[in-house]
Amino acid sequence: MDFRDSPEEAEFRADLRRWLETNARDVRIPDDPAERARAQNRFHQRLYEAGYIALSFPSEYGGHGKPPTYEAILNEELAGFGAPPIEGVGHMSNALLLFGTDDQRRTLLPGLLSGATQWCQGFSEPGAGSDLAGLTTRADLVQVDGAPHFRINGQKIWTSFAATADMCFLLCRTEPDAPKHQGISILLVPMTTPGVEPRRIVNAARNTEFAEVFFTDALVPASCLLGQRGQGWAIANQLLAYERGPSDVNFIARIGTYLQSLEQDLASGRLPDDDMSRRRVGEAYVELRALQLKVQRSLTDRVHGALPGAEGSIDKLLLTRADQCIGHAVMDLRGADAVLAEDLSWDVYVWSRASSIYGGTQQIQRNIVAQRVLGLPRH
Amino acid sequence: MDVRLTDEQELWNETVARLARDLAMTVPDDDAADRDVEAGWGRVLGLGVPALRSPALSGLDHTGVEAALAAEQFGRHLVPLPLVGQGLIAAEMLAAAGADDLLERVAAGEVRIAPALEPTLARVARPGTAAIAWDAAAATHALMVDDTPDGRVLVTVPVGSERVLGLDITRRHVVVPAGSAPEDVGATSAPIPPERWARVEALAHTALAADLVGIMDGALADAVAHVTERRQFGVPVGSFQAVQHLAADCLVQIEGARSCLWHAAWAVDEADVAEARLAAHTAKAYASRAGRDVVEMTIQMFGGVAITWEYLSHVRARRVWTDRRVLGDEGAHYSTIAAARLEAAAGAGVA
Ligand SMILES: Cc1cc2nc3c(=O)[nH]c(=O)nc-3n(C[C@H](O)[C@H](O)[C@H](O)COP(=O)(O)OP(=O)(O)OC[C@H]3O[C@@H](n4cnc5c(N)ncnc54)[C@H](O)[C@@H]3O)c2cc1C
């Protein structure tokens, strides 16, 4: 067992720290949600240009061919530095890498990884949330000008970043006569396609980050298909397993950043420093560490060849614990200020509640752990 | 970074698990802690445990992970033997003081030394004060610590004869009366410098965290077996979602606790002192909180039988509540962690 960096890891970490010192000291996380999203994307692109993004991806697609453990180092350092989080695209990128054709990987992966192309994930529908396989958005194979196309009709909801996205990772039904789970495919759809119309949804923190997306006779070439027809459910599950292993998304760094800012407010006297407050930040630190250290174990397994599977739900559930612990701490420690003004604290809190909903709810994750990891009987 | 057990560590884990299964408490038994120590302690010594932490005696370096694995297996099987108190914590104190002669006699079973804790159980006791020899089955002596300008100096006192009938029926505690005179058991020791003492504390917190992880893991395994067999409404109760979610939550917290534990166990010897301390506080805090929650959830999974004397659930709850209290529960460790983190935040001048 060795938690220490290898010489190469240590050198990478030191370089990254130096880069952050010189380039990110004055990068602030803006309060305004739209500003924040833009700042986050800019920072992601700068990190990419500096060579710190897509660490575990092959170099021909703009990556660096390193073991997945480097992603953990990046997350730790961003969290330790209080830097803005990076874009959470690891799960979609991994799915594209695993299931895409050479051509799809070459044309789509670099932009997805660098943040130059913005992607959204069109899975959930008004009638298909937890029961995702119940989705009804259809894509029918048709000939247009002698070439095969998919004609898409239906509606997605809760699609994060849809209104600003360039591309959509779309889960839809291509085989209406096949059994529920076997009739689903994935299409990679340009958001500029006529007949694709996002409508923003205002969230509980007044942020318009997620949206509904309506598809009305939207036509895309058949080459937009990812993997095989009917393989969509398998791909979606692989992607969700990556999404639930939180190293591939930016959440650890985000929680770490909020914890640091609380600690600094206590240390500098901006917040009253008493034993009760200290216990709360101590508790949040412990929950966050449990998550980080579990992720290091999961990543070690991945280095040794295991694809993320049902165990990823354990990581996601630890993430939810840590996120909701810090969410409560932020609201409680900021006291009256947290309720007499609507600022970042509320946003942090709202996100912490979302953390037991997005990517499959806490209940769905627990079903997975109970049945697929512990082997308890199904009803 | 390579966060897995090595092949040697896997092998050690299996060896310890086999012994722990042999020595397990399988039905609640008030007398086991006294009775089993006669035959059982020799087998623990045979494993090489009290000598483990002394490189001179064991020939091994960096044995934090091995120590934690042993404690975890003994916790899982509720072994009523003083592995954590005498075999690990007291032995670590002796090893830190370079008292290898005495440790050798402990490893041979000639002397039995338990750690003396303050009556609050929060700290190791000072000479002259009233104390409790913790995990003291068959102990002849208790180990106290004097804080001198040269470092921590160990003092051995004979244990008294007055028992403390605590909750934990897998362990024995004995009163050390105030003013007990030191008794030289043959070997003196050098003062333990602060940095080394910090690692002693880290090892102690880690050993307790490991015991807690083992208890939780054993509790969940038993509960999962129970709800798979027990039928109501014509189906196994483990097919009910409310029950499944308790089990899932247990596993999540156990894996969280185990992750913190592995890091602490590694850091005891491998990391710098500040990281080793922080890792140990983190592991003890997480395991103390999760230990109670997980055992309570498994009690719920068992239903009424968990409240009977006959089932092991209460034995686990007794040991968990004791482990939580010994050397500080999560609240105490959260405060300590925050103090270290805030000091660093203030020191970094980021205001
Ligand atoms: C911030 C945020 C961002 C999101 N981004 C995206 C995105 O980019 N793309 C996308 O496709 N989706 C996205 N989602 C949607 C998300 O995946 C769904 O909200 C989620 O899967 C739950 O579906 P639902 O909202 O329809 O809730 P429902 O499925 O209606 O669930 C309601 C309640 O019932 C419970 N429940 C349902 N089924 C079961 C069951 N079998 N057992 C036990 N309990 C059950 C749930 O746990 C929940 O408590 C996002 C959601 C949020 C909050």
Side-chain angles (χ1 to χ4, degrees), chain B:
Chain B
M1 183 196 314
D2 189 4
V3 189
R4 292 177 303 168
L5 298 180
T6 62
D7 290 346
E8 294 78 34
Q9 287 164 345
E10 291 279 7
L11 203 65
W12 165 259
N13 196 30
E14 280 159 29
T15 308
V16 186
R18 223 172 301 126
L19 180 63
R21 262 195 305 275
D22 268 7
L23 300 170
M25 181 181 283
T26 50
V27 289
D29 178 354
D30 267 327
D31 304 322
D34 291 323
R35 192 189 54 236
D36 293 6
V37 75
E38 295 312 320
W41 193 238
R43 300 184 65 188
V44 176
L45 299 179
L47 205 58
V49 163
L52 186 68
R53 296 289 300 160
S54 161
L57 297 182
S58 68
L60 298 170
D61 248 338
H62 296 181
T63 49
V65 174
E66 284 74 7
L69 291 173
E72 182 184 334
Q73 294 296 352
F74 274 53
R76 175 175 293 106
H77 296 285
L78 297 169
V79 176
L81 293 173
L83 176 103
V84 171
Q86 299 182 38
L88 293 175
I89 297 179
E92 167 76 358
M93 289 161 68
L94 294 172
D100 280 335
D101 288 349
L102 180 50
L103 191 52
E104 201 165 6
R105 296 178 55 212
V106 170
E110 292 163 23
V111 198
R112 313 248 184 128
I113 303 181
L117 303 181
E118 288 180 0
T120 60
L121 302 182
R123 263 177 302 280
V124 179
R126 287 160 167 254
T129 61
I132 290 174
W134 181 76
D135 210 7
T140 53
H141 293 81
L143 202 50
M144 300 179 132
V145 174
D146 206 3
D147 202 356
T148 75
D150 300 327
R152 303 286 204 301
V153 175
L154 301 184
V155 174
T156 43
V157 298
V159 296
S161 53
E162 189 193 336
R163 286 283 184 75
V164 182
L165 290 176
L167 286 184
D168 183 356
I169 63 169
T170 65
R171 293 191 176 113
R172 283 284 170 261
H173 314 315
V174 182
V175 172
V176 178
S180 294
E183 183 179 298
D184 190 354
V185 270
T188 50
S189 65
I192 305 171
E195 295 230 327
R196 183 66 184 90
W197 181 251
R199 289 191 196 275
V200 171
E201 289 187 330
L203 189 276
H205 293 143
T206 303
L208 287 157
D211 195 63
L212 284 160
V213 167
I215 299 169
M216 286 187 253
D217 210 62
L220 180 60
D222 276 5
V224 164
H226 177 81
V227 301
T228 307
E229 281 191 0
R230 164 80 178 162
R231 296 173 77 87
Q232 286 292 277
F233 302 97
V235 294
V237 292
S239 66
F240 295 119
Q241 194 176 54
V243 174
Q244 293 194 348
H245 284 195
L246 290 175
D249 195 17
C250 287
L251 183 63
V252 168
Q253 297 194 39
I254 290 169
E255 290 306 327
R258 192 191 312 283
S259 302
C260 296
L261 170 64
W262 280 13
H263 182 235
W266 169 85
V268 164
D269 304 306
E270 302 272 0
D272 67 45
V273 170
E275 185 185 346
R277 288 188 50 185
L278 194 54
H281 288 305
T282 301
K284 178 66 163 68
Y286 197 99
S288 296
R289 187 202 48 70
R292 185 193 59 197
D293 292 356
V294 166
V295 164
E296 288 177 352
M297 285 191 280
T298 61
I299 287 174
Q300 190 63 23
M301 289 166 71
F302 273 104
V305 292
I307 312 298
T308 63
W309 176 263
E310 193 187 334
Y311 267 64
L312 286 174
S313 291
H314 69 92
V315 180
R316 296 198 168 98
R318 289 162 182 275
R319 187 148 157 165
V320 159
W321 275 100
T322 310
D323 280 2
R324 271 166 63 76
R325 188 56 54 214
V326 171
L327 303 184
D329 65 6
E330 67 270 23
H333 290 279
Y334 291 155
S335 292
T336 312
I337 288 167
R341 299 266 307 164
L342 295 195
E343 200 178 306
V350 242

Side-chain angles (χ1 to χ4, degrees), chain A residues 143-379:
Chain A
Q143 296 291 324
V144 178
D145 300 331
H149 280 71
F150 284 105
R151 188 175 57 217
I152 313 167
N153 279 288
Q155 185 196 344
K156 294 289 164 179
I157 194 168
W158 319 126
T159 321
S160 300
F161 310 109
T164 48
D166 306 300
M167 293 290 295
C168 179
F169 204 103
L170 181 71
L171 204 57
C172 52
R173 192 164 293 285
T174 53
E175 329 295 311
D177 301 327
K180 190 171 167 183
H181 295 86
Q182 285 148 42
I184 296 172
S185 301
I186 285 178
L187 296 179
L188 308 175
V189 178
M191 292 296 285
T192 49
T193 309
V196 178
E197 192 200 337
R199 274 184 222 154
R200 290 180 187 269
I201 300 172
V202 182
N203 86 358
R206 303 173 196 278
N207 171 335
T208 56
E209 180 178 293
F210 53 35
E212 299 172 284
V213 186
F214 295 88
F215 295 85
T216 319
D217 290 330
L219 276 176
V220 294
S223 59
C224 290
L225 180 71
L226 180 69
Q228 307 297 312
R229 281 174 64 173
Q231 202 188 359
W233 185 247
I235 299 179
N237 274 302
Q238 190 61 60
L239 176 145
L240 287 171
Y242 275 108
E243 184 176 5
R244 287 161 188 168
S247 57
D248 287 315
V249 280
N250 54 34
F251 302 119
I252 295 185
R254 188 165 53 76
I255 301 172
T257 302
Y258 298 144
L259 173 63
Q260 276 222 325
S261 111
L262 263 191
E263 288 172 343
Q264 282 167 9
D265 286 354
L266 286 182
S268 66
R270 270 195 298 270
L271 289 177
D273 175 11
D274 53 30
D275 189 53
M276 187 54 93
S277 304
R278 285 180 169 225
R279 285 185 182 212
R280 298 292 295 278
V281 297
E283 181 185 16
Y285 171 83
V286 168
E287 293 289 330
L288 175 61
R289 285 301 282 158
L291 167 66
Q292 284 175 327
L293 293 163
K294 172 66 176 71
V295 165
Q296 293 190 359
R297 288 171 59 200
S298 306
L299 286 173
T300 297
D301 291 342
R302 212 182 287 175
V303 170
H304 295 279
L307 280 182
E311 298 77 13
S313 293
I314 296 174
D315 301 46
K316 170 72 201 289
L317 287 161
L318 286 170
L319 165 75
T320 297
R321 287 186 64 95
D323 210 346
Q324 299 190 339
C325 180
I326 192 85
H328 279 169
V330 165
M331 290 301 288
D332 281 342
L333 268 58
R334 296 205 190 280
D337 287 348
V339 296
L340 293 176
E342 185 172 335
D343 57 16
L344 199 56
S345 305
W346 180 244
D347 196 73
V348 170
Y349 174 73
V350 167
W351 266 102
S352 76
R353 300 327 297 176
S355 115
S356 50
I357 300 171
Y358 60 67
T361 67
Q362 184 177 46
Q363 288 65 44
I364 295 300
Q365 311 291 352
R366 285 181 177 164
N367 290 348
I368 293 172
V369 172
Q371 292 167 7
R372 295 207 231 139
V373 183
L374 286 171
L376 286 171
R378 285 165 198 245
H379 208 14

